[in-house]
Amino acid sequence: MSRSAEHTFSKPTEPVIRLLAGLGVEGDAHLGKTVQHRSRVARDPSQPNLRQVHLVHAELHDELRAAGFAVSAGEMGENVTTRGLDLLALSTGTRLRLGETAVVELTGLRNPCVQLDRFQRGLLAAVLDRDEEGNVVRKAGVMGVVLAGGEVRPGDPIHVELPDPPHRRLERV
C-alpha cells in the first residue's frame, strides 16, 4: 500500500490506505474526479480521472530485480502491489474487491513514461515488451477507479469479478 500527497514518482509505503468512492486514494496527489496527472491536466483538466488507483503486480518487481534493477513496492508510483494475480490479463471493467469493502474497477493499462528512466536508467525499456505479433506489451501495471471505498492493508484478500462477456483487453489509459 503506497500513497504520496505530492506529485512524486515513488510513493512511500503505508500500513493502510483508504480508498474513497469516485475519487481514489485518500491523501494521494492523484485523488479526484477529474484528471490529476500533470500532463493530462495540461491537455484538458475536465477529463474524468480514469487513473485514480495504480496497481502493479509484485512479479514485475521480481522480474526487474532479476534484470538488475532495484525496485520495491511503491517505487514505480503504484498505490497497490499485488502478488499471484495476473493483472495484465484482466479485462476492462474487471472489478477487484480489496479488503472488506473497497472495489476498484479497472480502466486500462498504465502507459509507462520517461519518468521510469529518470528513476533508474533503462527501466522504461524493461517494462515494455512485444508479443508474437509485434504489438507493444505494457507491463507497468493497471489503472482503475474506486467504485466503493474502504481501508486496504497489505495481505488483504483480492477478489476478482470479471465483467459480462464479451471481455475487452485492457488498453493504455
Side-chain angles (χ1 to χ4, degrees):
M1 304 304 117
S2 306
R3 67 181 173 153
S4 175
E6 304 295 322
H7 281 277
T8 57
F9 179 73
S10 295
K11 299 180 182 210
T13 58
E14 302 281 344
V16 61
I17 59 172
R18 179 183 302 275
L19 301 184
L20 303 175
L23 296 172
V25 179
E26 183 178 64
D28 192 82
H30 297 109
L31 177 81
K33 290 183 181 198
T34 57
V35 293
Q36 300 299 310
H37 288 74
R38 289 186 278 194
S39 63
R40 292 168 188 259
V41 169
R43 275 186 257 139
D44 179 2
S46 67
Q47 296 175 72
N49 187 1
L50 301 178
R51 300 164 57 104
Q52 294 174 356
V53 181
H54 178 202
L55 301 95
V56 167
H57 49 295
E59 292 83 358
L60 176 61
H61 294 155
D62 298 342
E63 176 186 327
L64 293 170
R65 280 193 296 273
F69 296 96
V71 292
S72 60
E75 289 188 327
M76 294 192 339
E78 73 272 19
N79 301 111
V80 177
T81 307
T82 67
R83 183 165 293 281
L85 178 58
D86 189 355
L87 291 173
L88 303 180
L90 297 173
S91 58
T92 301
T94 296
R95 292 181 177 184
L96 302 178
R97 294 194 173 277
L98 302 152
E100 291 183 23
T101 61
V103 178
V104 172
E105 183 174 283
L106 300 186
T107 56
L109 297 169
R110 175 188 185 185
N111 191 32
C113 67
V114 71
Q115 288 186 32
L116 289 163
D117 276 348
R118 291 182 191 137
F119 177 63
Q120 289 182 47
R121 186 181 197 97
L123 191 56
L124 177 59
V127 299
L128 294 171
D129 207 349
R130 297 250 176 217
D131 65 16
E132 310 80 47
E133 290 88 39
N135 299 309
V136 173
V137 175
R138 292 169 177 83
K139 302 186 293 184
V142 299
M143 308 304 286
V145 295
V146 181
L147 298 182
E151 291 185 347
V152 184
R153 293 175 173 78
D156 276 353
I158 300 175
H159 300 282
V160 177
E161 297 176 7
L162 296 174
D164 291 335
H167 295 153
R168 292 181 301 127
R169 291 182 65 159
L170 291 167
E171 300 290 332
R172 69 181 175 151
V173 63

